[in-house]
Amino acid sequence: MNLKTPYLGLELKHPIIAGASPLPDDLDKVRALEDAGIAAITMYSLFEEQITQNIVGAEAHVGSYENSFSEAISYFPEVDLLERGVEGYLEQLQRVKAAVDVPVIASLNGTREGTWVNYASLMEDAGADALELNLYFLPTDIEESASQLEDRCVRIVQAVKACIDIPLSVKLSPFFTALPHFAKRLAEAGADSLVCFNRLYQPDIDTDELDIRPKLDLSHSNELRLRLRWLAFLSGRIDMQLAVSGGVHTGHDVAKALMAGADVVQIVSTLLINGPGHFAEVLAELKQWVEEKEYNSLDELRGCMNYLRCPDPAALERANYMRLLKSWRK
Ligand SMILES: Cc1cc2nc3c(=O)[nH]c(=O)nc-3n(C[C@H](O)[C@H](O)[C@H](O)COP(=O)(O)O)c2cc1C
């Protein structure tokens, strides 16, 4: 079956891409991803902080970052990736582009307004086929309201969009007060796709050392369910494409995400656990599943279980919450 998938103006050979991760730092892994059949590769992020502070010692910098909390710190990539800074990022992006034929999506990560957004155009110049903007943050400022925060994000998206001609996706956390409305605003601001969602890495408390311990746990398939619900609500109702990130480990997970309305599916944890070559298995599982279920095209599958089309929309909503709680038996 033809699995071709249009995404961010690109003609992908199927809907599964490598999400942002440290893998593109190693060209052997990049080639292994392509050999295993991946449809596109997302670079790890270049962070606003790398651009604005011209890092000398990444750890010292991370420690001094205003308003930061260990949850955000835990998200920073390996220190050596940070220390390479902007030049190193752009050079690696060029190397990755030269190493493979599949599209390469650059990733820019920031949350405050400023001139750092202009670096989006350097990523385009370095050969990025599209750009993913990750608005990863915790709203810890007690003075900033939800609407102020959303306005700020919208302005950042507009500013990045104004710098580039390549398509733009926006990666978000799921924790917005009115996510569908905010998503609609992002589309109006110029986002071509929404990536649902960031995983917020939860720090732990070390009770012996009286310290906060950042923790980076890889995902499990059950994390997909949060994404399935929101994809189902957004699919067919907003004017941008949808990508899913978080909890996709198998071909069956991919099928569920497509049914909920994802245009493409990003995977990371399973590639880090099983190696880039494992991707071939995920793709084979999807193909086998699609054939067994006798779907004629991905379009037939895509969105068939979204809020507008699924047989029981209430199961996605609050009514199901009541039913679920009342159905519990010892
Ligand atoms: C080690 C590691 C590094 C990551 N680096 C980035 C990054 O630089 N930028 C980004 O947007 N997401 C980054 N992510 C998040 C992933 O792109 C993805 O959203 C998350 O792992 C959920 O997908 P998964 O369940 O397939 O792992 C990283 C994840 C891991 C595990």
Side-chain angles (χ1 to χ4, degrees), residues 19-22 43-45 47 75 77 107 109 132 134 171 197-199 201 216 218-219 245-249 266-270 272:
S21 82
M43 288 286 292
Y44 48 86
S45 296
F47 286 79
Y75 190 65
S107 170
N109 206 314
E132 186 170 286
N134 189 340
K171 186 172 178 181
F197 294 112
N198 272 312
R199 291 175 75 227
Y201 298 100
L216 199 163
L218 298 178
S219 73
S245 174
V248 177
H249 286 248
Q266 300 190 352
I267 58 173
V268 169
S269 286
T270 188
L272 297 181

Side-chain angles (χ1 to χ4, degrees), residues 65-171:
Y65 185 45
E66 184 196 358
N67 271 339
S68 69
F69 188 58
S70 51
E71 189 153 67
I73 293 170
S74 72
Y75 190 65
F76 278 72
E78 294 297 322
V79 167
D80 61 338
L81 282 188
L82 280 173
E83 278 176 344
R84 248 177 270 155
V86 177
E87 288 298 313
Y89 186 93
L90 296 173
E91 280 164 19
Q92 187 63 13
L93 173 56
Q94 283 173 327
R95 279 187 216 112
V96 172
K97 267 300 289 177
V100 289
D101 290 328
V102 292
V104 177
I105 301 170
S107 170
L108 188 59
N109 206 314
T111 60
R112 294 180 294 187
E113 291 175 89
T115 50
W116 64 272
V117 298
N118 298 335
Y119 283 74
S121 67
L122 296 185
M123 292 177 162
E124 179 173 6
D125 293 345
D129 294 290
L131 177 67
E132 186 170 286
L133 171 67
N134 189 340
L135 299 169
Y136 182 98
F137 60 94
L138 279 186
T140 52
D141 183 349
I142 208 159
E143 300 301 335
E144 189 177 40
S145 71
S147 57
Q148 284 171 326
L149 188 149
E150 290 181 10
D151 289 349
R152 178 160 56 95
C153 291
V154 165
R155 287 194 299 269
I156 293 172
V157 170
Q158 285 167 334
V160 171
K161 184 75 181 175
C163 292
I164 53 174
D165 290 322
I166 48 176
L168 175 67
S169 66
V170 176
K171 186 172 178 181

Side-chain angles (χ1 to χ4, degrees), residues 43 74 135 159 167 169 174 193 204 220 225 238 253 285 292 319-320:
M43 288 286 292
S74 72
L135 299 169
S169 66
S193 149
D204 206 352
H220 297 280
R225 278 152 53 183
I238 52 169
D253 291 338
E285 276 169 13
E292 273 172 19
N320 195 53

